[in-house]
Amino acid sequence: MGKKICGTNFPLSICFIVVNEFCERFSYYGMKALLTLYFVNYLHWDKDLSTAIYHAFSGLCYFTPILGALIADSWLGKFKTIIYLSIVYVIGHVVKSVGAIPTVGGRDVHIALSMLGLILIAFGTGGIKPCVAAFGGDQFEDEHVRERQKFFSIFYMSINAGSLLSTIITPILRGDVQCFGGDCYALAFGVPAALMVVSLVVFIAGSGMYKKNPPQGNILLEVCNCIGFALKNRWYRWKHEPRRTHWLDWAEEKYSKRLIQEIKMVLRVLVLYIPLPMFWALFDQQGSRWTLQATRMNLAFGDAFSIKPDQMQMLNALLILVFVPIFDLVIYPLVSLCRIKIMPLRKMAAGMIFAALAFGAATLVEINVVKTVVDPAPAKNSLLQVVNLAGGDASVKVLGTNLFPEPIPHFQDSPTYETLPLEGPAKYAYITVTSLGADTECNQRFEEEEAYSLILFPGPAGTQCKLVEDYIMKNEDGNPLVRFLNTLPEDLNITVGTELFNVSSEYSVSLNQTVSRGAYSDVTCCLKSGECSKLDLGLLDFGAIYTIILKEESGKIVAHKTEDVKANNVHIAWQIPQYALITAGEVMFSITGLEFSYSQAPANMKSVLQAGWLLTVAFGNVIVLIVAEGAGLDQWKEFLLFAGLLLGVCIIFSIMTCFYTYVDPEQLEKFYLEDSGKEGDDDDKKKKNNDVPLNKTGKGTRL
C-alpha cells in the first residue's frame, strides 16, 4: 500500500503526476503558441508554408501516441516509457531553443535545428500522451472508483491550467523582452524547455511511490492481427468454403468469438470516425490562420494595454473552463425540457455546425481586415504613389495618362497607390508634373511587382522628382513600420523607442523599421552637428506603414506624418465570436465524442478507440496542410471553403448516424455468459455470433 494524502484514499504519488502534467502541457502549448509567428518572422517563411509546417507538426504529435502506446504496453511499461520519451522531449525543446538564437549559425542552421527540435518534441509529447493519464489511473486500487474519477477531473484541469497560462505568458516573453535586436524567441522557447525539465524532475522524484504495472501486451496489435488474419483467411478460402455472415468471422479458426464480437463493436464506431477529421481541420487553425489574422487587426484595448496576436489562443482554454459547466448545468437541461432527445451523435453534429459557423464569422472578419491591406502589384505592373513636397499643389501625368486625376495637395501624398501598367518586366516612364504654373518632366525606371513613391520637391530649375522603393507588406507581428524623409540639408539621427534611424540629407529616405505601437510625443532627433530636438509623432498604430517627413519650420524641426498603408481598423474583439463558436463546438463535439466512444466499446477496447480518435486529429491537420499548400485561395475564400466542407461532412455524418444503433457494452459479459451456457442448432449459433448487446432498455436506440 502506497502513502495516502491526509488519510484519504488518494495516493500521494498522484501529486507528482498532476504537477508533471501541468508543466508538460505548459511547455507544449507555450511553445506551440509561438510557432506560426516564429516561422513567419524569424525563419521568414511565407504564410502558406508556415501554416503547412505548423499543421505537419500538429499532425505528427497525434500520430506518435500510437507508437508510445505500443512501446508502453508491449515493451517498457508506462513508467519507463514516460521517463525515456520525456528525455527525448527535453532534448527537442533545447534544440528548438538553440535554433532560435540568431548568433548560432545562419538561416539554414536555424531551420535544421528548428525542424529537428520539433520532430523530437512530437515524438516526446505524442509518445507520453497515452501513458500519463493511464499511469495516474493505475495508482488507485480497484475499489476506489470515485477517487479515480476525481483524479481525472483534477488531471484534466491541470491540462487546461497549463494551456491557459502558457498561451498568456510565452507571447509576452516573445514580444516584450528584446534580445539579439528583436523579439526574444530564444527566451520564449527556453521557458517551456525549462518547464519540461521541471516536469521530468518532478516525475522522477515520485518514482519510489508509484505503483508500476508490468507490460501486459497491446490490444491494438491483437486487433490488427485479428483483422489481418480474417482478411487473409477470407482471400484464400472464400471460394472453397460456405459464405460467412461477417467478414471478421473468417478469424474464428484462430481468435475467440468474444474478441471478434468486440472488434465488430469497435469497427462500427470507427466507421463513424471517418468524417471527423474535417472538424479538427477547422479547430486546429486557431494557432495558424487565426493567429495570422490577428496580426492584421487592432490589438489595443484603449490606452491601458495591448494583447499579442498569439495570445488570442488562450480564449479557447479559458472558454472551455466556462462552457463545460454551462452546457452541463444549463443548456442541456433546458433542451431536455423542450422534449428534445439529446443523443451523443446529435451533439457531435451540432458541434460541427458551430465550428462551421465559427469559420463563417472568421470569413466576415477577414473580408473587413483586408480592406486596409495593399495588394502587391501583379506581373507587368507596379504601384505608384506621389508625395508632394513642392511649393504648391501638383498634378501628375505618367506616360501621358491621368494616373492621378486629382491634384495632390502640398505636403500630402496621393490617397492610394495606383497601378501603373508596364507591358513588361521593367520600363522607363516619362512623368509630367505641373506645379505653381510650371511643367517639369522626369524619366524614371519602374520594375514589375514593386511599389514606389514619387517624391516631388523644389529645386533650382523648378520641381524635381525622386523615385524611392516602398515596402507595403504589413508587419507580420502587427506592429507599425516607420521611415523618415529628411528635407533638411544635414544628416539626421532619430531615436524612436529602441530603434535608431539614420537618414541622409536632401530628401533622402531611411529604411523601414519596426517600432512598438504607441503614442510618441518625445522622440529625439539629432543633427549631425550634435544639436538635438524633440519630435511629436503622435500615435503609431497597429499595421500601419508611415513615412514621416521632417521639415524645418520657425527654426525647429517638425514632423509631418503620412500613412502609406492604413492602420488596422478591425478590433481584435471581433475574433471573440469565432472563438466562442469554435469552443462551443468543441464542447459538443470533442467531449461528447470521447464519452460516446468510451460508452460504445468494451472495457479492453477503449485504447483502440482512443488511438482511432487521435488519428482523426492527425488527419485533420493533414487536410489543412494540403489546402494551405495547394489551394492558393484568398484567405476569406479559404475560410469559406472550410466552413462549406464541414457543413457537407456534417450532412454525411448525420446520415451515417441514422444507421447506427446504440449499444451497452456492460451487457457484453452477460451476453457471453449466456452464450456459453446454451446448446443449439447452427442457426442459433449464427445468431449468437452476430447479435450485438443492446442498451439497457433492450431496444436499439436510433438517432
Side-chain angles (χ1 to χ4, degrees):
M1 292 290 289
K3 295 181 180 179
K4 305 293 183 180
I5 300 175
C6 300
T8 67
N9 290 322
F10 288 93
L12 184 60
S13 58
I14 66 169
C15 297
F16 296 90
I17 295 172
V18 169
V19 174
N20 161 268
E21 184 67 11
F22 170 82
C23 294
E24 188 274 326
R25 289 290 86 185
F26 186 107
S27 76
Y28 174 74
Y29 284 109
M31 177 276 304
K32 191 179 178 186
L34 308 171
L35 274 186
T36 300
L37 295 186
Y38 173 76
F39 293 152
V40 173
N41 296 328
Y42 187 83
L43 299 183
H44 303 295
W45 289 343
D46 63 52
K47 294 179 180 180
D48 290 338
L49 178 59
S50 300
T51 299
I53 298 299
Y54 175 91
H55 288 281
F57 167 72
S58 297
L60 185 59
C61 289
Y62 284 93
F63 279 117
T64 50
I66 297 175
L67 178 63
L70 291 175
I71 293 173
D73 293 342
S74 304
W75 181 24
L76 295 177
K78 297 184 185 72
F79 175 74
K80 289 184 178 179
T81 300
I82 294 171
I83 294 290
Y84 295 154
L85 290 181
S86 291
I87 293 172
V88 173
Y89 201 164
V90 169
I91 294 171
H93 268 301
V94 172
V95 172
K96 183 78 190 66
S97 302
V98 172
I101 301 175
T103 56
V104 178
R107 182 168 178 266
D108 290 341
V109 173
H110 296 155
I111 292 174
L113 289 175
S114 297
M115 294 304 100
L116 176 60
L118 288 177
I119 291 171
L120 293 174
I121 289 170
F123 276 93
T125 186
I128 69 175
K129 192 185 294 289
C131 300
V132 179
F135 186 70
D138 289 346
Q139 306 308 304
F140 293 85
E141 303 297 331
D142 291 340
E143 64 269 17
H144 299 152
V145 177
R146 177 177 292 182
E147 286 82 359
R148 184 186 289 115
Q149 290 174 343
K150 289 183 179 179
F151 160 73
F152 283 122
S153 297
I154 298 169
F155 183 84
Y156 289 113
M157 186 67 71
S158 72
I159 293 175
N160 281 290
S163 170
L164 178 62
L165 290 175
S166 65
T167 48
I168 293 173
I169 294 171
T170 55
I172 293 174
L173 297 175
R174 170 194 64 79
D176 290 351
V177 179
Q178 297 292 302
C179 62
F180 304 104
D183 284 354
C184 201
Y185 284 102
L187 175 64
F189 285 132
V191 169
L195 262 291
M196 192 57 220
V197 172
V198 173
S199 173
L200 178 58
V201 170
V202 168
F203 187 76
I204 294 175
S207 60
M209 305 179 191
Y210 297 140
K211 177 182 176 183
K212 304 167 189 173
N213 295 329
Q216 297 176 339
N218 189 274
I219 188 64
L220 181 60
L221 280 177
E222 190 174 1
V223 169
C224 293
N225 290 334
C226 179
I227 292 173
F229 180 81
L231 292 172
K232 180 180 177 182
N233 203 25
R234 182 187 183 192
W235 176 259
Y236 287 111
R237 301 173 60 181
W238 69 275
K239 291 183 179 179
H240 312 291
E241 294 187 14
R243 185 176 179 179
R244 304 190 185 184
T245 307
H246 193 282
W247 61 270
L248 268 174
D249 293 335
W250 289 92
E252 287 179 347
E253 286 84 347
K254 186 175 181 180
Y255 295 92
S256 68
K257 292 180 180 180
R258 180 189 181 99
L259 177 65
I260 293 170
Q261 186 66 32
E262 290 173 340
I263 295 175
K264 289 178 185 179
M265 295 174 66
V266 168
L267 290 179
R268 293 172 69 247
V269 178
L270 290 179
V271 168
L272 289 177
Y273 281 6
I274 294 173
L276 304 191
M278 186 53 66
F279 175 88
W280 299 113
L282 277 69
F283 180 82
D284 277 349
Q285 290 188 56
Q286 295 174 70
S288 56
R289 294 302 202 194
W290 285 14
T291 297
L292 292 172
Q293 184 186 69
T295 64
R296 291 172 286 126
M297 301 178 73
N298 189 331
L299 303 168
F301 286 85
D303 296 328
F305 73 98
S306 299
I307 196 170
K308 301 289 187 291
D310 37 0
Q311 280 182 316
M312 284 300 289
Q313 301 169 61
M314 63 91 181
L315 272 180
N316 177 249
L318 180 63
L319 290 173
I320 274 286
L321 298 176
V322 175
F323 281 3
V324 169
I326 289 176
F327 272 81
D328 286 342
L329 301 176
V330 179
I331 295 178
Y332 292 152
L334 285 177
V335 174
S336 297
L337 289 176
C338 298
R339 296 184 179 179
I340 299 175
K341 203 164 191 178
I342 311 176
M343 305 304 294
L345 296 178
R346 283 183 176 175
K347 291 182 187 177
M348 293 176 68
M352 291 183 180
I353 294 172
F354 271 80
L357 290 174
F359 267 66
T363 301
L364 294 176
V365 171
E366 185 69 20
I367 289 171
N368 287 281
V369 162
V370 298
K371 290 180 180 178
T372 63
V373 175
V374 177
D375 292 325
K380 299 182 180 180
N381 289 269
S382 62
L383 298 179
L384 179 64
Q385 71 166 354
V386 177
V387 180
N388 180 16
L389 306 180
D393 294 354
S395 297
V396 179
K397 290 185 178 181
V398 183
L399 296 172
T401 63
N402 284 323
L403 196 64
F404 303 93
E406 298 294 328
I408 299 163
H410 177 56
F411 250 79
Q412 293 186 27
D413 58 357
S414 49
T416 60
Y417 281 92
E418 301 294 341
T419 302
L420 177 65
L422 303 180
E423 302 173 354
K427 186 175 185 177
Y428 281 93
Y430 282 97
I431 302 169
T432 303
V433 180
T434 303
S435 180
L436 300 175
D439 290 347
T440 303
E441 287 191 352
C442 54
N443 189 20
Q444 301 290 343
R445 186 177 189 273
F446 295 87
E447 294 186 3
E448 65 176 343
E449 301 179 0
E450 297 290 348
Y452 298 94
S453 285
L454 180 68
I455 301 172
L456 307 178
F457 59 95
T463 303
Q464 292 186 318
C465 303
K466 184 174 186 178
L467 193 67
V468 296
E469 192 170 317
D470 289 356
Y471 185 81
I472 59 170
M473 303 300 293
K474 286 178 177 280
N475 207 332
E476 296 296 351
D477 65 3
N479 282 312
L481 287 165
V482 176
R483 66 178 179 177
F484 288 90
L485 195 165
N486 182 11
T487 67
L488 281 70
E490 192 173 349
D491 295 354
L492 295 173
N493 294 322
I494 304 107
T495 303
V496 182
T498 60
E499 301 299 323
L500 177 64
F501 295 79
N502 299 308
V503 53
S504 301
S505 60
E506 301 294 345
Y507 297 94
S508 295
V509 180
S510 69
L511 296 174
N512 284 100
Q513 291 180 230
T514 301
V515 299
S516 298
R517 185 262 185 191
Y520 293 87
S521 58
D522 197 26
V523 172
T524 302
C525 175
C526 296
L527 296 169
K528 190 176 182 180
S529 60
E531 182 182 349
C532 295
S533 59
K534 297 295 183 180
L535 301 176
D536 184 1
L537 305 184
L539 176 65
L540 302 181
D541 211 352
F542 286 112
I545 301 178
Y546 298 100
T547 296
I548 299 175
I549 304 164
L550 301 178
K551 182 184 179 183
E552 187 174 3
E553 293 180 359
S554 303
K556 295 182 178 180
I557 301 175
V558 180
H560 293 268
K561 183 172 62 180
T562 62
E563 208 173 38
D564 299 335
V565 176
K566 294 189 179 301
N568 301 340
N569 58 10
V570 179
H571 197 270
I572 192 66
W574 286 107
Q575 271 201 338
I576 295 176
Q578 64 201 55
Y579 273 98
L581 287 167
I582 200 81
T583 306
E586 180 188 8
V587 171
M588 289 184 281
F589 179 89
S590 180
I591 296 175
T592 306
L594 285 170
E595 291 173 353
F596 165 77
S597 301
Y598 274 49
S599 72
Q600 298 298 289
N604 64 331
M605 289 288 172
K606 296 188 189 302
S607 61
V608 179
L609 283 182
Q610 184 184 29
W613 183 264
L614 294 174
L615 284 178
T616 66
V617 183
F619 283 113
N621 281 277
V622 171
I623 292 171
V624 185
L625 190 158
I626 294 169
V627 173
E629 279 295 287
L633 298 173
D634 292 337
Q635 190 56 68
W636 70 269
K637 294 179 181 177
E638 185 181 292
F639 284 156
L640 200 59
L641 172 66
F642 276 112
L645 287 174
L646 186 57
L647 286 176
V649 165
C650 180
I651 294 171
I652 295 172
F653 177 75
S654 299
I655 294 172
M656 292 172 66
T657 60
C658 291
F659 300 96
Y660 183 82
T661 303
Y662 289 87
V663 299
D664 183 5
E666 293 179 3
Q667 294 189 9
L668 190 65
E669 192 69 35
K670 180 180 178 181
F671 177 81
Y672 277 102
L673 287 173
E674 292 175 354
D675 185 49
S676 60
K678 290 184 179 180
E679 296 286 337
D681 56 24
D682 290 341
D683 290 338
D684 290 335
K685 290 179 181 178
K686 181 186 286 188
K687 183 177 185 302
K688 279 182 283 189
N689 287 342
N690 293 283
D691 279 350
V692 178
L694 302 178
N695 62 16
K696 294 178 181 179
T697 64
K699 300 177 181 178
T701 307
R702 294 188 179 274
L703 184 68

